């Protein structure tokens, strides 16, 4: 039996909790404004759709091999998140210093392939909620699109939050960068808990 409420709770909690996508979306929007960080978020959506599609196609196989693959995903993901934490911590305190740069579509898209959170999100949603109940290709494709939209929506919301509080962030850049960097370090550590 398909439990819609459990499925949606899982999806929204996973999509809206801090992670690489959400923290970088907020940081980019605070630095550049929502409009100039929009392409980055579209890249997240595109990358999310690709990763969700791949995970949908191979979720049964990946789930069988997850214990073997998980440690490599964790190590690569943690290393990348620690690198991002370092970049956020060292980012410029001067908002105008980055005013000519836009967060690119490609960087948002490529981030998805190194983000273990969405692999785990996709595999869990597919294997626990969708594939045990639904088997038609159309329905599975529909759920794939829904999972991608819900997952990527978190980055847009965090970008709006970053944009709305841009002046506050620019006055307290070092403190905000420290908090964002520590949240990324927490995300890296949480992969092993």
């Amino acid at each position: 039996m398909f439990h819609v409420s459990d499925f949606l709770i899982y999806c929204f909690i996973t999509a809206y909790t801090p992670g690489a996508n959400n923290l970088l979306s907020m940081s980019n929007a605070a630095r550049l404004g929502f409009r100039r960080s929009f392409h980055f978020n579209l890249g997240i959506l595109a990358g999310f759709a690709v990763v969700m599609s791949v995970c949908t196609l191979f979720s049964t196989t990946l789930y069988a091999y997850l214990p073997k693959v998980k440690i490599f995903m964790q190590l690569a993901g943690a290393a990348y998140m620690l690198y991002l934490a370092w970049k956020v911590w060292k980012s410029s305190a001067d908002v105008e210093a980055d005013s000519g740069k836009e967060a690119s579509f490609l960087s948002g898209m490529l981030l998805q392939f190194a983000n273990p959170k969405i692999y785990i999100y996709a595999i869990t949603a597919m294997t626990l909620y969708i594939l045990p109940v639904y088997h038609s290709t159309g329905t599975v494709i529909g759920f794939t699109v829904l999972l991608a939209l819900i997952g990527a929506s978190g980055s847009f919301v965090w970008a709006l939050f970053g944009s709305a509080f841009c002046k506050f962030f620019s006055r307290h850049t070092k403190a905000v960068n420290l908090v964002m960097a520590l949240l990324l370090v927490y995300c890296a550590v949480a992969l092993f808990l």
Side-chain angles (χ1 to χ4, degrees):
M1 177 156 71
F2 185 70
H3 298 279
V4 175
S5 60
D6 292 351
F7 171 73
L8 291 175
I9 288 169
Y10 167 76
C11 290
F12 281 100
I13 287 174
T14 305
Y16 287 84
T17 53
N21 288 342
N22 296 342
L23 296 175
L24 288 175
S25 292
M26 186 176 76
S27 176
N28 284 332
R31 254 183 333 108
L32 305 167
F34 184 78
R35 184 181 57 80
R36 290 193 9 233
S37 67
F38 190 73
H39 287 104
F40 178 79
N41 289 310
L42 286 178
I44 287 175
L45 176 59
F48 223 108
V50 171
V51 170
M52 289 309 273
S53 298
V54 169
C55 286
T56 298
L57 291 172
F58 298 105
S59 64
T60 304
T61 304
L62 289 176
Y63 187 73
Y65 292 109
L66 189 60
K68 296 176 185 173
V69 173
K70 182 179 178 184
I71 190 66
F72 297 110
M73 289 173 55
Q74 286 175 317
L75 291 172
Y80 187 67
M81 286 183 202
L82 292 174
Y83 166 76
L84 292 176
W86 176 255
K87 294 292 279 184
V88 167
W89 169 245
K90 295 308 247 179
S91 67
S92 174
D94 182 10
V95 176
E96 296 302 313
D98 294 323
S99 63
K101 298 178 186 176
E102 286 195 19
S104 75
F105 175 89
L106 187 60
S107 65
M109 185 171 178
L110 293 177
L111 172 63
Q112 303 322 293
F113 297 97
N115 186 351
K117 182 179 175 184
I118 67 170
Y119 288 98
I120 293 167
Y121 165 73
I123 292 167
T124 302
M126 282 294 162
T127 58
L128 293 181
Y129 295 107
I130 299 164
L131 294 176
V133 179
Y134 298 102
H135 306 288
S136 77
T137 303
T139 304
V140 171
I141 289 171
F143 274 112
T144 301
V145 171
L146 179 65
L147 286 168
L149 290 173
I150 291 172
S153 72
S155 68
F156 284 95
V157 169
W158 279 67
L160 284 170
F161 177 77
S163 178
F165 293 98
C166 180
K167 289 182 182 173
F168 171 81
F169 291 151
S170 66
R171 282 193 305 262
H172 306 287
T173 302
K174 279 297 181 190
V176 170
N177 286 354
L178 175 63
V179 169
M180 294 299 110
L182 289 174
L183 285 170
L184 281 166
V185 169
Y186 167 76
C187 290
V189 171
L191 292 173
F192 300 96
L193 300 178

